[in-house]
């Protein structure tokens, strides 16, 4: 390409010149690490020799036989499903309550965004204290009403630890759902509602027949964004339980991090990360097709 | 000076320091006069909780390196002036004391700059691993936890070899002054010396003498005494106070530390001479049975605590005793931080319930003993671009004089050198109060006679920080059946991992 042609190309309406820097950044910081990760999953770092050695499919075979991996997969799915259902239902309920221009509602909507600016690790530490069996307010309240045995601390008992972590997750991210749903609700046209009210439809009928169908795309986007995030859960379990008691709160991300950084198994850690990525991609794509999400 | 005026001055100097309008030395001097401990500078830096600088001792004594050492540093360090050394370390008493109070003397005398990164232990391991994998020499000095000695043994200089260079050898450095059990337990891997002992947390018995006296209980001299007394206290004072405490967080290294104390104390060991896991044998099961009974006397939150929660439970009066790290003792004696100042007594760990196994009856150099030893070494990296300057720093940091200063400034850490235990500056601090050293004779006795040390093998970092504490956590959470079933399953996992090398 000659100089004059290049100059014309740059000043033309063609988007490529403007996209090239972004594409280059994506190649360097996304595509290259992904390819390197795939390559790494067929290797393993050998501490004795301070070298990466080719191990073929050994990491993938190990993954298949690794009970901790399967356990962490189940835990991650459980965490994902419970958190998503709670955040969706609560988010929608709160959004419906806050969908008003009455006095004080603007302030309430502002207050809700506050949880989103707190780093998840800090929220984890807050709940760690609140669920402490000695002086935690949540433990105290649950013990007071007889729902918690003082000898079974929330985060140190296998049957309650995941619930203890989920409370922090749901508390912090339900407002995110509220904000998305509120934006959707406020963008809905008023005419169908007016017609329904004239026809004498009840509030529940209006919600089920009008609001929900019209909000379906917004809900799908919210599910997709939060679902991907939920599947990568790390901060809360790391801070609150470190995966315990036993391995009852071990998430896939925590397991991958531990193998990579604590035990220097770079190859196996890369394999675990890849599996997480593949699962997220498959589920997200399926969901996009089923929910007919359009970008 | 009125309290309000003092606080106003304190706020003013802190503000100037934070804004960079005042150097650290001036700030420390001013803060010291105004009653602020330099430990405030280290707040929140690491995961080991009670490693502040002893405010009381720092104020009472003129604590500076000896003139003789300073002169040697000045002479030998001149050729290296302008060099920068880097050390990544956990937040430990020696590192905190050096970083906040002492390294300025080294830097002034030699012209060598020292950068100390204080990180959580697992991050130190990551940094060192990346450094040796890439051979970049980012860090000149390695802080090596005893469980990593095998992993890094080929990546550091053997200090015995370094001492042969007479031009750089510190006069009277005396490597034989390091306590021999620590050299064997922390710093040796096969025939190599992986640095010199730098830091020694060790299990000692710490108990509320007032409670023991009130209930007319015999001091916990045996494991059986400890169990009976703990049960009696929990019965008499629970749920306001429990007999003893623990560091039993599932999946955390601290749980493995507690386990070994009971295991060794019941005549068991982690490995047999053939390198196979033996924690599930008869002695191992006896230890678990004992532990189950002892746990019933502990506060309910114990399953979620590492050493931090355990220490707080005693310091706040929730538990009346603990067999745990001696470094907590100076914190217990600090009336500003704990409710038990002057009430605690230190003694050597309780006598085992069965005869201890010998080193020959165990595997990978494991040394059975109820006094579980932690600890770390300091070594010069083979990839360092300035190994000679790093060796000068290492000698200074681990010399008897610096170690004595660290012990007094660092809040009562156990010294790694014999001579430091007898140093007048250290002995002068043996009184009730913050930063006390009155427990150090017990620490010394424990190191010499009751110390237990973990095995040395490359897989130990994973075994001790994950596989074993996760399996124990599952057991206590009721997820893995009986003690025998849990330990049998653990044996399969451990033997598989060890066989892979």
């Amino acid at each position: 390409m000659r100089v004059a042609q290049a100059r014309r190309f740059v000043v033309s309406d063609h988007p490529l010149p403007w996209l090239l820097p972004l594409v280059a950044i994506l190649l360097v910081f996304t595509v290259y690490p992904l390819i390197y990760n795939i390559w790494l999953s067929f290797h393993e770092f050998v501490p004795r020799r301070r070298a990466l050695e080719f191990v073929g499919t050994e990491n993938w075979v190990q993954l298949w036989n690794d009970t901790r991996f399967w356990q962490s997969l189940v835990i991650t799915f459980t965490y994902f499903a419970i958190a998503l259902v709670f955040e969706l239902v609560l988010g929608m309920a709160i959004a419906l309550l806050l969908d008003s221009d009455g006095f004080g509602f603007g302030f309430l909507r502002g207050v809700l965004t506050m949880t989103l600016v707190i780093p998840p690790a800090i929220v984890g530490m807050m709940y760690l204290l609140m669920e402490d069996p000695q002086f935690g307010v949540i433990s105290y309240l649950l013990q007071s009403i007889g729902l918690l045995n003082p000898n079974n601390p929330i985060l140190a008992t296998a049957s309650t630890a995941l619930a203890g972590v989920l409370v922090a997750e749901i508390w912090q991210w339900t407002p995110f759902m509220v904000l998305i749903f509120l934006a959707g609700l406020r963008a809905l046209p008023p005419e169908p509602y007016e017609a329904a009210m004239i026809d004498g439809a009840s509030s529940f009928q209006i919600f089920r027949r009008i609001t929900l169908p019209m909000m379906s795309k917004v809900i799908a986007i919210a599910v997709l964004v939060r679902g991907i995030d939920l599947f990568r859960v790390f901060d809360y379990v790391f801070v609150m339980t470190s995966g315990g008691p036993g391995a009852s709160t071990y998430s896939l991300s925590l397991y991958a991090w531990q193998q990579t950084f604590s035990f220097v198994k770079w190859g196996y850690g890369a394999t675990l990360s890849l599996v997480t990525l593949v699962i997220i991609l498959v589920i997200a794509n399926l969901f996009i097709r089923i929910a007919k999400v359009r970008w | 000076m009125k309290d309000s005026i003092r606080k106003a001055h304190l706020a003013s100097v802190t503000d100037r320091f934070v804004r960079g309008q005042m150097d650290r030395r001036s700030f420390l001097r001013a803060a010291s006069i105004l009653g602020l401990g330099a430990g405030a500078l280290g707040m929140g830096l690491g995961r080991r909780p009670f490693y502040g600088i002893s405010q009381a001792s720092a104020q009472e004594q003129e604590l500076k390196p000896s003139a003789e050492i300073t002169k040697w540093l000045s002479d030998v360090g001149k050729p290296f002036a302008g060099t920068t050394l880097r050390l990544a370390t956990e937040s430990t008493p020696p590192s905190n004391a050096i970083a906040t109070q002492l390294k300025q003397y080294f830097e002034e005398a030699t012209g060598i700059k020292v950068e100390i990164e204080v990180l959580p232990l697992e991050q130190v391991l990551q940094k060192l691993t990346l450094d040796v994998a890439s051979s970049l020499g980012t860090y000149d000095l390695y802080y090596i936890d005893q469980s990593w000695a095998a992993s890094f043994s080929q990546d550091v200089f053997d200090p015995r070899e370094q001492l042969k260079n007479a031009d750089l050898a510190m006069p009277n450095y005396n490597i034989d002054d390091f306590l021999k059990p620590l050299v064997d337990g922390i710093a040796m891997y096969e025939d190599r010396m992986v640095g010199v002992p730098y830091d020694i947390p060790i299990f000692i018995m710490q108990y509320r003498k007032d409670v023991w006296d009130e209930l007319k209980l015999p001091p916990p001299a045996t494991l059986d005494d400890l169990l009976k007394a703990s049960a009696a206290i929990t019965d008499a004072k629970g749920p306001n106070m429990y007999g003893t405490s623990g560091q039993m967080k599932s999946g955390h290294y601290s749980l493995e530390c507690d386990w070994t104390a009971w295991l060794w104390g019941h005549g068991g060991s982690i490995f047999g001479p053939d390198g196979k896991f033996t924690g599930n044998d008869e002695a191992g099961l006896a230890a678990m049975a004992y532990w189950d009974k002892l746990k019933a006397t502990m506060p309910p939150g114990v399953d979620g605590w590492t050493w931090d929660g355990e220490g707080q439970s005693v310091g706040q009066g929730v538990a009346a005793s603990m067999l745990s790290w001696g470094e907590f003792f100076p914190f217990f004696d600090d009336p500003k931080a704990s409710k038990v100042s002057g009430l605690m007594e230190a003694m050597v760990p309780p006598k085992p319930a069965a005869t201890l196994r010998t080193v020959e009856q165990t595997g990978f150099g494991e040394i059975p003993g109820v006094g579980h030893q932690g600890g770390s070494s300091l070594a010069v990296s083979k990839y360092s671009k300035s190994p000679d300057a790093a060796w000068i720093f290492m000698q200074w940091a681990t010399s008897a004089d610096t170690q004595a200063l660290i012990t007094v400034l660092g809040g009562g850490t156990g010294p790694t050198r014999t001579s430091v235990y007898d140093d007048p500056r250290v002995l002068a601090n043996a009184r009730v109060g913050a930063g006390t050293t009155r427990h150090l004779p017990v620490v010394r006795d424990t190191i010499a006679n009751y110390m237990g040390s973990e095995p040395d093998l490359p897989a130990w970092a994973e075994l001790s920080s994950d596989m074993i504490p996760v399996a124990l956590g599952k057991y206590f959470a009721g997820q893995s059946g009986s003690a025998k079933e849990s330990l049998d399953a653990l044996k399969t996992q451990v033997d598989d991992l060890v066989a892979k090398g």
Side-chain angles (χ1 to χ4, degrees):
Chain A
M1 195 183 285
R2 280 184 286 180
V3 174
Q5 276 179 313
R7 195 175 292 139
R8 271 204 304 278
F9 183 63
V10 169
V11 297
S12 73
D13 290 337
H14 202 288
L16 200 57
W18 310 105
L19 287 175
L20 277 177
L22 182 65
V23 171
I25 290 169
L26 278 173
L27 283 173
V28 171
F29 292 107
T30 308
V31 178
Y32 170 72
L34 179 64
I35 293 168
Y36 183 73
N37 213 33
I38 295 169
W39 178 83
L40 201 55
S41 71
F42 294 100
H43 294 74
E44 193 49 275
F45 181 72
V46 183
R48 269 197 320 279
R49 285 189 282 282
R50 309 284 181 238
L52 276 171
E53 285 188 359
F54 180 73
V55 294
T57 55
E58 196 177 294
N59 285 326
W60 294 91
V61 174
Q62 185 185 339
L63 190 79
W64 187 255
N65 298 319
D66 184 354
T67 51
R68 181 83 75 83
F69 161 70
W70 291 108
Q71 196 172 0
S72 64
L73 192 62
V74 170
I75 288 160
T76 305
F77 266 114
T78 310
Y79 186 92
F80 163 87
I82 295 174
L84 201 55
V85 168
F86 269 90
E87 288 175 18
L88 266 178
V89 173
L90 285 175
M92 182 58 81
I94 297 169
L96 288 168
L97 289 172
L98 285 178
D99 184 18
S100 164
D101 289 324
F103 177 75
F105 280 76
F107 172 75
L108 283 175
R109 287 194 289 270
V111 166
L112 271 179
T113 61
M114 286 175 70
T115 67
L116 302 176
V117 299
I118 307 171
I122 303 296
V123 173
M125 291 172 90
M126 275 166 46
Y127 273 85
L128 184 65
L129 291 173
M130 290 199 291
E131 292 175 23
D132 184 281
Q134 300 295 324
F135 52 81
V137 65
I138 294 176
S139 297
Y140 172 77
L141 290 173
L142 291 175
Q143 285 170 20
S144 305
I145 56 175
L147 279 179
L148 185 70
N149 181 342
N151 290 321
N152 296 324
I154 298 170
L155 295 172
T157 305
S159 55
T160 54
L162 196 65
V165 178
L166 276 163
V167 169
E169 162 78 47
I170 292 165
W171 177 82
Q172 180 159 37
W173 291 104
T174 298
F176 176 74
M177 294 294 213
V178 174
L179 290 179
I180 292 180
F181 294 155
L182 259 176
L185 287 171
R186 305 219 126 202
L188 294 180
E191 292 81 4
Y193 289 92
E194 288 164 5
M197 280 189 274
I198 289 167
D199 288 345
S202 69
S203 297
F204 180 72
Q205 281 172 324
I206 291 174
F207 174 72
R208 189 161 165 260
R209 302 283 183 188
I210 298 175
T211 307
L212 263 187
M214 287 203 294
M215 284 285 287
S216 62
K217 298 297 177 206
V218 176
I219 293 170
I221 296 286
V223 168
L224 192 67
V225 172
R226 271 314 296 149
I228 291 171
D229 248 6
L230 282 167
F231 211 84
R232 298 179 306 167
V233 57
F234 177 85
D235 316 61
Y236 302 108
V237 286
F238 180 76
V239 170
M240 295 176 75
T241 62
S242 305
S248 56
T249 56
Y250 241 100
S251 71
L252 261 182
S253 298
L254 181 65
Y255 191 38
W257 171 85
Q258 184 210 43
Q259 292 295 309
T260 310
F261 295 109
S262 293
F263 305 135
V264 207
K265 292 182 176 172
W266 296 342
Y268 194 53
T271 312
L272 287 164
S273 302
L274 273 175
V275 168
T276 311
L277 178 69
V278 169
I279 293 171
I280 289 174
L281 281 176
V282 169
I283 295 175
N285 275 300
L286 278 175
F287 182 77
I288 286 167
R289 278 170 190 274
I290 293 165
K292 296 189 177 126
V293 177
R294 297 216 176 156
W295 302 101
Chain B
M1 187 187 285
K2 277 187 182 173
D3 192 47
S4 58
I5 297 171
R6 186 184 64 79
K7 283 179 179 166
H9 277 301
L10 197 53
S12 169
V13 296
T14 306
D15 186 49
R16 285 170 59 200
F17 175 69
V18 170
R19 288 168 187 272
Q21 295 166 349
M22 187 181 215
D23 62 48
R24 187 172 56 231
R25 185 189 251 188
S26 308
F27 168 70
L28 286 171
R29 194 179 299 127
S32 169
I33 292 164
L34 292 164
L36 176 69
L41 288 176
M43 278 170 64
L45 281 179
R47 66 176 192 164
R48 286 163 71 168
F50 302 116
Y51 291 151
I53 303 296
S54 162
Q55 167 186 333
S57 55
Q59 288 171 358
E60 287 165 10
Q61 298 175 45
E62 183 66 17
L63 295 167
K64 284 183 181 173
S66 81
E68 191 187 348
I69 299 267
T70 306
K71 185 178 180 318
W72 174 77
L73 283 176
S74 182
D75 293 343
V76 78
K78 262 180 198 154
F80 307 103
T83 305
T84 298
L85 299 174
R86 296 188 76 196
L87 162 68
T89 172
E90 192 188 5
S91 175
T92 63
S95 296
N96 286 345
I98 289 172
T100 60
Q101 296 253 59
L102 297 174
K103 77 168 182 173
Q104 58 180 316
Y105 298 111
F106 176 84
E107 289 179 336
E108 281 167 12
T110 59
I112 299 169
K113 196 169 179 305
V114 183
E115 290 179 0
I116 298 178
E117 277 181 54
V118 180
L119 303 159
L121 193 63
E122 59 271 19
Q123 285 186 30
V124 178
L125 176 61
Q126 289 163 25
K127 299 247 178 190
L128 298 196
T129 306
L130 286 171
D131 202 53
V132 300
S134 57
S135 304
L136 280 176
T138 306
Y139 297 99
D140 302 280
L141 293 134
Y142 285 176
Y143 170 91
I144 301 176
D145 187 85
Q146 48 103 29
S147 65
W148 316 333
S151 304
F152 293 108
S153 62
Q154 301 303 316
D155 302 300
V156 292
F157 289 101
D158 186 325
R160 295 170 302 187
E161 296 298 318
Q162 289 176 297
L163 275 173
K164 288 177 186 166
N165 182 351
D167 293 344
L168 297 178
M170 177 186 269
N172 308 317
Y173 182 68
N174 190 13
I175 205 162
D176 297 329
D177 187 29
F178 288 103
L179 291 153
K180 191 171 179 317
L182 295 188
V183 174
D184 293 340
I186 296 175
M188 294 302 294
Y189 177 62
E190 296 176 341
D191 59 341
R192 283 188 67 75
M193 191 169 179
V194 188
V196 296
Y198 175 61
D199 172 40
I200 173 63
I202 191 164
F203 275 24
I204 59 173
M205 191 66 228
Q206 297 161 76
Y207 69 103
R208 284 277 297 269
K209 192 164 185 310
D210 60 326
V211 175
W212 251 256
D213 287 348
E214 181 193 330
L215 298 178
K216 297 184 171 53
L217 298 165
T222 67
L223 288 177
D224 192 45
D225 286 345
L226 175 62
L227 178 60
K228 283 179 179 159
S230 299
I233 293 165
T234 302
D235 287 346
K237 294 182 175 289
N240 298 319
M241 180 186 279
Y242 294 83
T244 192
S245 192
Q247 41 182 9
M248 295 180 65
K249 181 169 182 172
S250 172
H252 194 275
Y253 174 62
S254 54
L255 180 58
E256 186 272 341
C257 295
D258 269 6
W259 173 63
T260 50
W262 311 131
L263 175 69
W264 288 328
H266 284 80
S269 61
I270 307 164
F271 290 107
D274 58 355
K276 301 283 185 195
F277 183 79
T278 53
N280 63 334
D281 62 15
E282 204 174 315
L285 293 175
M288 293 301 281
Y290 175 85
W291 201 2
D292 271 331
K293 288 183 210 154
L294 195 67
K295 185 171 180 286
T297 73
M298 296 178 189
V302 72
D303 303 81
W305 294 342
T306 66
W307 37 72
D308 188 5
E310 182 185 34
Q312 288 289 2
S313 70
V314 175
Q316 301 312 314
V318 176
S321 73
M322 66 179 205
L323 172 68
S324 191
W325 313 108
E327 288 166 331
F328 284 92
F329 201 84
F331 159 75
F332 296 148
D333 250 6
D334 181 352
K336 287 182 183 164
S338 93
K339 293 178 180 171
V340 296
S341 178
L343 301 176
M344 297 296 292
E345 196 64 53
M347 63 185 288
V348 296
K351 282 200 179 75
T355 309
L356 293 175
R357 284 185 190 161
T358 63
V359 177
E360 290 72 30
Q361 291 171 316
T362 69
F364 304 109
E366 180 184 344
I367 306 167
V370 182
H372 177 108
Q373 161 255 109
S376 60
S377 302
L378 195 64
V380 175
S381 162
K382 273 193 175 169
Y383 315 105
S384 166
K385 294 176 186 73
S386 313
D388 289 344
W391 171 233
I392 293 169
F393 175 80
M394 183 175 140
Q395 289 178 90
W396 170 78
T398 58
S399 66
D401 185 59
T402 308
Q403 288 272 308
L405 295 176
I406 287 168
T407 304
V408 180
L409 291 169
T413 180
T416 59
R417 283 177 171 274
T418 307
S419 61
V420 177
Y421 284 88
D422 301 321
D423 190 291
R425 291 167 290 187
V426 173
L427 295 173
N429 252 21
R431 76 291 171 265
V432 171
T436 187
T437 56
R438 67 186 177 99
H439 63 302
L440 289 187
V442 168
V443 171
R444 184 184 198 169
D445 195 9
T446 305
I447 293 170
N449 300 306
Y450 308 103
M451 190 179 90
S453 192
E454 294 172 353
D456 295 318
L457 67 158
W460 185 242
E462 182 170 351
L463 288 173
S464 60
S465 300
D466 182 62
M467 202 171 273
I468 294 171
V470 166
L472 294 171
K474 279 184 177 175
Y475 168 69
F476 285 112
Q479 291 180 306
S480 57
S482 68
K484 178 153 179 34
E485 286 165 342
S486 303
L487 292 173
D488 285 349
L490 178 60
K491 177 181 170 56
T492 308
Q493 290 179 304
V494 173
D495 288 345
D496 281 353
L497 187 70
V498 173
K500 281 182 190 167

